[in-house]
Amino acid sequence: MIVTPHQRQTTCAESPHIPGAGCSQDGDCRKGEAADTGNGVMTGKCLLGSGNGSGTCEIFAWCPVEKPTKPTKPLLGKAEDFTVYIKNSICFPKFNFSKTNVLHTENPNFLKFCRFGSKTPYCPVFRLGTIVSYTGNDFQKMAMEGGVIGIEIEWNCDLDQAPSACRPHYSFRRLDKFTEPSATAGYNFRFARYYHDVNGVEFRTLMKVYGIRFDVLVSGKAGKFNIIPLLVNVGTALALMGAGAFFCDFVLLYLIKKSHFYRDKKYEQIRMSSQKFLSRHLVNGEQDSGQADGQGPLGPATHS
């Protein structure tokens, strides 16, 4: 934590670490404007340093401005022994099923003494240092510049089994960019506490704090056997198989360049003269009724 006490609304020099706050004359400070990352509004005056011809612009802001220093050690180094209680409930209304990640017990002291572990999956009381270690990080190092940790709770339930088989699965990972120097690395925020002096003039204490943020992400899915979806899926699969065969035949018969080769293999073409056709029918027990009626040999035929 970085504390800037007794800030009052008055004029003072802008921080020299702010881009655009340096100046060598009053004309460099645009009155009424503020630097993009500045602490206040410029008054138009340049406050020169100790004889080197350079200085910083004067601003109207909460003064004195915050010093760009970083903490040298965690304020609460023993906080890794603190615990956090994460209570979560899951509900699948389609199956009229709900469950929590807390063990149903009549022991009133269960949550006071239990800690999450492989043998106690239904005790959602986590030690902060243990959560950080699950991500492969050290608590003391992360506490210096802060960090963001995602706690994922996943429910994958097969409701054909006993309700006790539906249990939460936890996973932990660090979300902020900590492997390389970056402006987004770590986690910090500012807040202020406001007071009034004996004359009624307001002043404040500004605090920039570094901490560890926990984002709890919950997801889940459940399933149960039903004969109707099974029959529908099987019927759909069979229909798609038939449609696939028809589509393949259509492509091979009409769209590819060598479709005639496939057509010759798929279909057998038979050509014969009318005399051979008539002889084949007579052999099979058919007679020519046209001759009996005085018609030609190619007249209409009837079955005997």
Side-chain angles (χ1 to χ4, degrees):
M1 181 167 63
I2 301 175
V3 181
T4 308
H6 304 296
Q7 284 187 322
R8 298 176 182 271
Q9 295 190 52
T10 181
T11 58
C12 58
E14 178 64 281
S15 172
H17 299 277
I18 298 297
C23 64
S24 58
Q25 56 184 356
D26 292 344
D28 297 332
C29 303
R30 297 177 296 275
K31 184 177 180 179
E33 297 185 9
D36 293 337
T37 57
N39 295 284
V41 180
M42 298 182 187
T43 63
K45 296 181 179 180
C46 178
L47 303 179
L48 298 177
S50 56
N52 55 0
S54 62
T56 55
C57 294
E58 184 185 64
I59 58 172
F60 179 80
W62 287 97
C63 298
V65 297
E66 180 183 88
K67 296 181 180 180
T69 58
K70 288 187 177 182
T72 57
K73 63 179 181 178
L75 181 64
L76 296 175
K78 298 296 183 179
E80 62 179 322
D81 292 326
F82 291 177
T83 58
V84 57
Y85 171 42
I86 303 176
K87 184 178 180 180
N88 173 236
S89 300
I90 194 72
C91 179
F92 300 105
K94 182 176 181 179
F95 305 110
N96 193 25
F97 180 86
S98 61
K99 195 173 183 181
T100 67
N101 64 339
V102 184
L103 180 67
H104 292 281
T105 177
E106 296 182 358
N107 183 4
N109 297 320
F110 172 71
L111 293 176
K112 293 182 179 180
F113 300 102
C114 74
R115 295 293 181 269
F116 173 80
S118 58
K119 296 182 179 180
T120 54
Y122 285 103
C123 175
V125 180
F126 301 85
R127 178 177 171 271
L128 297 188
T130 304
I131 293 179
V132 175
S133 66
Y134 285 155
T135 66
N137 292 268
D138 180 75
F139 182 89
Q140 298 297 327
K141 293 181 179 179
M142 183 183 293
M144 289 295 297
E145 295 188 355
V148 182
I149 293 179
I151 303 175
E152 300 181 27
I153 307 176
E154 186 177 9
W155 298 79
N156 291 325
C157 301
D158 183 0
L159 299 184
D160 291 318
Q161 301 181 9
S164 59
C166 178
R167 59 175 57 187
H169 297 275
Y170 298 88
S171 59
F172 308 87
R173 57 193 177 98
R174 188 167 178 178
L175 303 179
D176 63 294
K177 294 183 178 180
F178 64 95
T179 56
E180 57 185 19
S182 173
T184 60
Y187 179 73
N188 62 79
F189 60 94
R190 293 176 175 86
F191 69 95
R193 292 176 178 172
Y194 294 86
Y195 310 92
H196 289 85
D197 59 15
V198 293
N199 298 321
V201 179
E202 187 180 40
F203 67 97
R204 74 177 189 180
T205 298
L206 178 66
M207 284 167 280
K208 179 180 180 181
V209 294
Y210 296 81
I212 301 176
R213 174 188 173 95
F214 297 98
D215 289 340
V216 182
L217 315 173
V218 182
S219 63
K221 61 181 180 180
K224 194 173 185 180
F225 178 77
N226 193 327
I227 188 63
I228 295 178
L230 176 63
L231 295 178
V232 171
N233 292 334
V234 171
T236 303
L238 294 176
L240 290 176
M241 291 174 62
F246 171 79
F247 178 76
C248 291
D249 278 349
F250 180 80
V251 172
L252 293 173
L253 288 173
Y254 301 104
L255 299 182
I256 64 176
K257 293 182 179 179
K258 296 183 179 181
S259 59
H260 63 280
F261 177 79
Y262 180 76
R263 191 180 297 110
D264 292 341
K265 296 296 182 181
K266 184 176 179 64
Y267 301 107
E268 180 182 1
Q269 298 183 2
I270 302 177
R271 295 184 178 88
M272 62 176 61
S273 63
S274 59
Q275 187 65 32
K276 290 182 179 181
F277 178 79
L278 182 59
S279 300
R280 176 172 294 183
H281 280 269
L282 292 176
V283 170
N284 291 333
E286 298 177 351
Q287 67 179 7
D288 188 356
S289 62
Q291 292 181 355
D293 296 336
Q295 297 183 5
L298 298 179
T302 58
H303 294 283
S304 59

